[in-house]
Amino acid sequence: MEAMTSLPLMTLMQLLFDTLLGFALLWLGWRALASPDLFQAIVLFIAFGLLMAIVWVRLDAPDVALAEAAIGAGLTGALLLTTLARLEAKNRSKSALEKKHKVWLMTENVKLKTASFLWLMVILMLLVSGLVYAVLTLQEQTFELQMLVSKNLESSGVSNPVTAVLLNFRGYDTLLEMSVLLLALLGVWSFGGIPKPHESLPGPVLNMLSRLLIPLLIIVAGYFLWVGSDAPGGAFQGGSVLGAAGVLLLLVGWRLCIRFVGLPLRIILVFGLGVFVSAAVVLIFLGRQFMEYPPSVAGALILLIEAAATLSIGITLAALFLVGRPEFRRHK
Amino acid sequence: MLLSEFFTVILLLAGAFFFLAGTVGLLRFPDVYTRLHALTKADNVGLGLMVLGLALQAESWAMTGKLILIWLCVLLSSASVAHLIANAARKKGIEPWKQ
């Protein structure tokens, strides 16, 4: 009797929770876009990311939830906040280059108001209709795909289906994601001459917090990497936690020793992608397809690739936070 | 209902009450310092009660350990972040509210 009454109550509560969550997400997204104050918009965006992570948990996708919370809310929020600090520093400084830039921006603004608005609307409408079409033509049940994954899980070398898909069955997706991240860093490094905001010394509290948290973050990154083979976790989750440790180090004023800023840093940045591509290419020479891991060594290969990827992703994200290429040729 | 379930419900409700109190404080208090005070103190206790309640239902000691670790991490970071925000506000010249 008790089970019969408690079951509909439970689903009703879940429905209520999901509805509230959905509306809160939409409201936060709208407020973040419409807020005239940039700082407020960023804080709203971080809150949006955290709620989004809960949505992924509700959709039974803890892997995505972890990545969303760490990258979508945490690291992107930190990146946006430093960008804001640099924008404000830039507005204060009055170099010649700065003025030229401002004029360019203003003319851009005027143009946008008159003609480009219509074009933007057309492009947006195309994008929206494309997305609607994609959603409408989506198969309701992708049961065959699930069956396909679980049938071949044994030969993938790992027991977590998400890792099996990301690193083995559709490894090139992850490969391309990692190259996108590397390209983003190259793009950031290509912009020079961004004024640095005034850096204040970290107080005793931030110092102590970093001393306690950074070792813990490194352990958690290693845990995510290891646990990814049979539970939610993996290279991107571990890498973003490692990146958070890097951001914290940069915040307390730690800088990479000048000896390591040149070639050693670059080697670490491309290490993950390098290991991934070389593993795939070596397999071709051994008479297999590109990225076709032999089942007997697939587990070890995936762990190797993920370990390299975690390191590279973490260092790349921390380097993104630094904004601008670390200088190492100043004395030449 | 088992005794442990009973205690879990009591602890979760108590935790929710503290979260509610913290949120009301955040919305109703007059300035940034008092709001931080309400939010961090109440939420730390609220989360502690919730973690205790959930730990009673944990399947293994490892799970209990993880739950307590989460609470300790949140305690550490929320206390530090509250201090950092308050410090930044003070440096910006925001005067504490005086009746």
Side-chain angles (χ1 to χ4, degrees), chain B residues 84-96:
Chain B
L84 289 174
I85 293 175
N87 205 25
R90 227 176 96 81
K91 274 186 186 160
K92 231 179 161 185
I94 299 174
E95 287 289 315

Side-chain angles (χ1 to χ4, degrees), chain A residues 107-122:
Chain A
T107 47
E108 241 357 268
N109 267 340
V110 174
K111 268 189 227 156
L112 206 73
K113 268 177 197 157
T114 50
S116 305
F117 186 71
L118 204 69
W119 279 110
L120 268 180
M121 287 304 283
V122 170

Side-chain angles (χ1 to χ4, degrees), chain A residues 200 205-206 208-209 212-213 216 223, chain B residues 66 69 73 76-77 80 83-84 91:
Chain A
S200 55
V205 170
L206 192 56
M208 185 216 58
L209 183 69
L212 285 171
L213 274 189
L216 190 69
Y223 171 76
Chain B
K66 278 182 198 172
L69 195 66
C73 283
L76 178 69
S77 52
S80 310
H83 167 84
L84 289 174
K91 274 186 186 160

Side-chain angles (χ1 to χ4, degrees), chain B residues 22-44:
Chain B
T23 312
V24 170
L26 176 72
L27 293 173
R28 299 283 298 153
F29 277 2
D31 74 341
V32 62
Y33 306 106
T34 46
R35 283 177 191 169
L36 277 173
H37 169 86
L39 191 66
T40 44
K41 287 204 166 169
D43 282 8
N44 281 344

